[in-house]
Amino acid sequence: MGYRDSASKNEKGQMAQAEGSYHRPLATSRLELNLVRLLCRCESMAAEKREPDEWRLEKYVGALEDMLQALKVQASKPASEVISEYSRKVDFLKGMLQAEKLTSSSEKALANQFLAPGRVPTTAKERVPATKTVHLQSRARYTSEMRSELLGMEPSGECEVDMRKRAAKGSRPADERQSASELDLVLQRHQGLQEKLAEEMLGLARSLKTNTLAAQSVIKKDNQTLSHSLKMADQNLEKLKLESERLEQHAQKSVNWLLWAMLIVVCFVFISMILFIRIMPRLK
């Protein structure tokens, strides 16, 4: 009960601080002011150490999304740069919550690397954006958890303080040195795997480039062959048309000679019949 009362008091105080410290040159709408207040509260909750069954931050982020969508369609909406900055911070908080739900610390650290914190402080009293601070804290926490998993140790804040004191005094046991050497070996192994993966990706990119150039050359040759074939087909078509015209002319000439020969034969037969009738005596 004491924890919840102090949290509610801190929430009210931070909301009042955000309301009093955030001022824009132009008139701020009520919806945007509420969004800024809730965003400040979410950033402060994300920076604090939360209980596993804490559910308020997720609900607040969902409310931020709804308010941001309403702000985008509002008539008196702010500039596009301001809206993009709000979207960036809301997406960061949403991605951070999704990363916390992952099982292994390596997956959390990988997901945390792809998060993009805000670039501009939410309030005037902030020198560094709160989301950037939260990003650095979560990165350090996930790295510590991943280191503990690799070494087979349970993460504990008291152990870390004790180790720092021992390192400051110069007394470092043999097991700590062995753990540090094992950690270096694991990190070197991961670095080697990353370099090998990068080399493989580079080789795949080179082979893809070579195959692309070869395919381009083959396609270019095929286009040239196709163009030559089309040109030859056009030439053959023109020659076929020319020969067809010549054949038609020859056919017309042969028909004309045959017609004249038939006319001559008919005339000759007609004249022969007339002469035959005149020369031969009539039968009585």
Side-chain angles (χ1 to χ4, degrees):
M1 291 296 291
Y3 174 76
R4 296 185 179 274
D5 294 339
S6 61
S8 62
K9 290 180 180 179
N10 292 332
E11 179 180 358
K12 293 180 180 178
Q14 289 172 356
M15 286 186 177
Q17 180 181 358
E19 183 178 3
S21 60
Y22 184 81
H23 294 285
R24 294 178 55 204
L26 299 178
T28 305
S29 63
R30 186 66 181 175
L31 179 60
E32 184 180 0
L33 186 59
N34 293 333
L35 187 143
V36 172
R37 292 171 58 188
L38 186 57
L39 182 59
C40 292
R41 177 55 186 160
C42 292
E43 290 175 350
S44 63
M45 290 180 66
E48 297 173 355
K49 186 176 180 181
R50 301 184 306 278
E51 298 294 332
D53 57 348
E54 178 64 37
W55 54 269
R56 293 182 299 170
L57 182 58
E58 187 173 359
K59 297 296 183 180
Y60 288 169
V61 172
L64 278 176
E65 291 182 354
D66 297 338
M67 295 171 69
L68 183 60
Q69 293 297 329
L71 185 63
K72 289 180 180 179
V73 299
Q74 196 178 23
S76 59
K77 61 181 179 180
S80 58
E81 293 82 4
V82 179
I83 293 180
S84 62
E85 183 66 20
Y86 290 156
S87 302
R88 188 183 183 92
K89 292 180 180 180
V90 173
D91 293 339
F92 170 79
L93 294 173
K94 185 178 179 181
M96 187 195 66
L97 292 175
Q98 292 177 356
E100 290 179 353
K101 294 179 181 179
L102 298 176
T103 55
S104 62
S105 58
S106 59
E107 294 178 354
K108 293 180 181 179
L110 182 60
N112 185 71
Q113 291 180 359
F114 292 99
L115 297 179
R119 300 175 181 175
V120 181
T122 307
T123 61
K125 293 185 178 181
E126 293 180 0
R127 295 183 179 180
V128 180
T131 52
K132 189 173 183 180
T133 305
V134 173
H135 189 219
L136 295 176
Q137 291 177 355
S138 59
R139 179 185 297 178
R141 184 171 66 255
Y142 295 149
T143 304
S144 177
E145 292 178 0
M146 185 169 59
R147 185 182 304 167
S148 301
E149 287 182 1
L150 291 173
L151 298 178
M153 298 168 56
E154 290 296 332
S156 175
E158 296 180 357
C159 293
E160 292 179 359
V161 174
D162 191 16
M163 289 177 63
R164 290 178 182 177
K165 290 182 179 179
R166 290 180 181 179
K169 292 181 180 179
S171 60
R172 190 173 185 181
D175 55 349
E176 293 183 3
R177 295 177 183 177
Q178 184 178 1
S179 300
S181 61
E182 291 177 356
L183 177 60
D184 293 336
L185 290 176
V186 171
L187 293 177
Q188 290 178 2
R189 182 180 178 184
H190 281 285
Q191 187 176 1
L193 291 175
Q194 290 179 358
E195 292 178 356
K196 185 178 180 181
L197 182 61
E199 291 178 357
E200 291 180 355
M201 292 178 65
L202 184 60
L204 291 174
R206 288 176 180 173
S207 62
L208 180 61
K209 182 179 180 181
T210 303
N211 294 333
T212 304
L213 293 176
Q216 185 179 1
S217 178
V218 171
I219 293 173
K220 187 176 181 180
K221 291 180 180 179
D222 292 341
N223 289 333
Q224 291 178 355
T225 304
L226 182 60
S227 300
H228 182 68
S229 300
L230 291 175
K231 186 176 180 181
M232 293 296 296
D234 294 336
Q235 291 179 358
N236 293 333
L237 182 60
E238 291 179 358
K239 290 181 180 179
L240 182 60
K241 287 182 180 180
L242 182 60
E243 295 298 330
S244 298
E245 291 177 357
R246 291 178 61 184
L247 181 61
E248 186 177 357
Q249 290 177 1
H250 284 293
Q252 290 178 358
K253 288 181 180 179
S254 62
V255 171
N256 292 334
W257 283 107
L258 182 61
L259 180 61
W260 283 106
M262 291 179 65
L263 288 175
I264 292 171
V265 170
V266 170
C267 292
F268 178 75
V269 172
F270 181 72
I271 293 171
S272 299
M273 288 297 295
I274 293 174
L275 292 176
F276 180 76
I277 293 172
R278 289 294 181 94
I279 293 171
M280 294 300 294
R282 295 182 179 178
L283 295 176
K284 294 181 179 181

